[in-house]
Amino acid sequence: MSTTTLAAHLSQPTIPPRLAELIGAVAKGCVEISAQVRRGAAGQIMGALGSENVQGEVQQKLDVLSNDILLALCAKAEGLSAMASEEMETIHPVRDVAPQGGYLLLFDPLDGSSNIAVNVSIGTIFSILPTPADSAGRAVAEADFLQPGRNQVAAGYVVYGPQTQMVLTLGDGVCAFTLDPDCDDWVLTNPAMTIPAETKEFAINTANARHWAAPVSRYVEECLAGVEGPRGKDFNMRWVASMVADVHRVMSRGGVFMYPWDKREPNRPGKLRLMYEANPMALLVEQAGGASFDGAGDTLDAPVTSLHQRASVMMGSKAEIARLRDYHAV
Ligand code: P6P
């Protein structure tokens, strides 16, 4: 049984201490969020607030509580310049002047919160970018956040499921930690998560099938045709409707997760947000040997024009994403 903890893992000399401190603060916040999520209806934290977030989505009490927990704990991290969240319209500076070599933290504090009421796994997603060098001596601006996903220095998620697990990359592979509820410590349970290149599983909301673009329809129809079809094998379909849960399954055993563009809102690239959902997940997937594609190119190379911009998302087993890329090139 591994006795390596997250704190021990982050104390490696190759990890900048202020980055380690920031990730430690996120992890501490997620321990508190996990406790609140577990309380459910036994606590006073269930239900909607009656307000909407910047996305126009109804805010659950737990959405705002989770956001506040991360703001309070991460603001103490010395290297942090500013934060951005799905739940906040504008950035949240934590210092008047950005610390030299500091970091920007972005997060979706509780993704999939519509699943809270039905006791289905939900999660926290986070992304860490470098504060731009030209921000020295001044306050951080929203424009400083508008960096491509490939600039991330770290990314991770915490899935609040039967176990609470954190999956983390600092750009040199992916490792997973499991929260030991007896001591509230994160124990290293997978030092090298890798996604199999091949799979028999795909995840997409097939209720939207009539709205998909042709390459996505072709890919899914071929999966559904099974062993008698062009793929020559049967597939399973999964859809939890909680990105963290669906992507965690892909990270754990392979598969493809898709929330692509569809013609319901032709001017919108997709439902999911680039900066604090698609990009952190894409970095994790790539670091685990998979790939992430947005219909035009790698997710991590997508041009960034606004903090809450959305993205078309297709990520997972490398061979499957290569096939989707080919279908989009036809
Ligand atoms: P749909 C949750 O609301 C979320 O943002 C993601 O976590 C999830 O993958 C997706 O939306 C589910 O969307 O349209 O299937 O309900």
Side-chain angles (χ1 to χ4, degrees):
M1 173 63 187
S2 162
T3 54
T4 302
T5 64
L6 176 63
H9 181 79
L10 292 173
S11 66
Q12 296 174 74
T14 53
I15 301 175
R18 295 200 301 183
L19 178 58
E21 182 196 20
L22 177 55
I23 295 171
V26 173
K28 188 175 179 184
C30 292
V31 171
E32 204 173 317
I33 294 170
S34 179
Q36 292 294 347
V37 167
R38 296 230 168 303
R39 294 180 60 194
Q44 302 305 315
I45 39 85
M46 295 294 278
L49 276 173
S51 54
E52 288 188 347
N53 64 15
V54 62
Q55 327 291 342
E57 294 167 342
V58 173
Q59 283 183 306
Q60 302 295 318
K61 288 178 187 172
L62 260 175
D63 283 326
V64 174
L65 178 59
S66 303
N67 195 65
D68 292 347
I69 288 169
L70 289 172
L71 289 178
L73 282 170
C74 296
K76 297 171 187 167
E78 273 184 31
L80 184 62
S81 304
M83 293 182 257
S85 162
E86 179 190 71
E87 300 302 329
M88 303 186 302
E89 184 155 7
T90 56
I91 66 169
H92 181 92
V94 293
R95 284 169 181 72
D96 294 337
V97 175
Q100 190 62 36
Y103 301 102
L104 304 175
L105 173 67
L106 302 95
F107 49 81
D108 181 353
L110 205 60
D111 180 72
S113 53
S114 59
N115 287 303
I116 296 171
V118 293
N119 198 17
V120 166
S121 299
I122 50 184
T124 297
I125 310 170
F126 63 93
S127 168
I128 300 177
L129 290 165
T131 309
D134 67 5
S135 65
R138 62 170 172 81
V140 167
E142 184 166 307
D144 293 318
F145 280 78
L146 306 186
Q147 303 178 41
R150 218 163 282 288
N151 284 15
Q152 294 173 98
V153 295
Y157 61 80
V158 174
V159 53
Y160 308 109
Q163 308 115 46
T164 292
Q165 288 189 301
M166 174 183 280
V167 174
L168 174 70
T169 184
L170 287 93
D172 183 22
V174 180
C175 46
F177 299 84
T178 301
L179 182 64
D180 180 341
D182 295 337
C183 59
D184 273 355
D185 211 351
W186 298 93
V187 178
L188 180 67
T189 43
N190 188 337
M193 282 191 101
T194 54
I195 300 177
E198 308 286 343
T199 184
K200 293 182 179 179
E201 228 165 35
F202 68 94
I204 193 167
N205 183 341
T206 43
N208 301 326
R210 65 190 185 281
H211 306 302
W212 295 333
V216 172
S217 298
R218 175 184 175 189
Y219 178 82
V220 173
E221 284 159 12
E222 289 181 354
C223 290
L224 294 175
V227 67
E228 295 85 17
R231 300 300 307 272
K233 62 182 180 180
D234 290 337
F235 280 75
N236 265 334
M237 195 278 282
R238 293 283 183 276
W239 190 248
V240 183
S242 174
M243 183 186 198
V244 174
D246 278 314
V247 173
H248 186 65
R249 186 190 55 254
V250 170
M251 293 292 292
S252 303
R253 67 186 191 208
V256 178
F257 170 79
M258 295 174 279
Y259 211 116
W261 170 94
D262 68 52
K263 59 176 182 280
R264 288 176 294 171
E265 293 195 49
N267 298 325
R268 192 176 84 164
K271 172 177 184 181
L272 303 178
R273 273 70 59 164
L274 179 66
M275 297 302 289
Y276 39 79
E277 290 175 339
N279 271 342
M281 291 304 205
L283 184 64
L284 287 159
V285 165
E286 274 204 10
Q287 282 290 318
S292 184
F293 176 60
D294 67 3
D298 288 355
T299 300
L300 293 176
D301 295 329
V304 181
T305 54
S306 71
L307 194 59
H308 299 292
Q309 75 184 65
R310 296 176 189 260
S312 173
V313 176
M314 291 167 269
M315 56 174 64
S317 294
K318 201 160 199 169
E320 297 303 312
I321 301 304
R323 178 181 292 269
L324 275 158
R325 200 185 288 268
D326 289 346
Y327 291 1
H328 280 75
V330 174

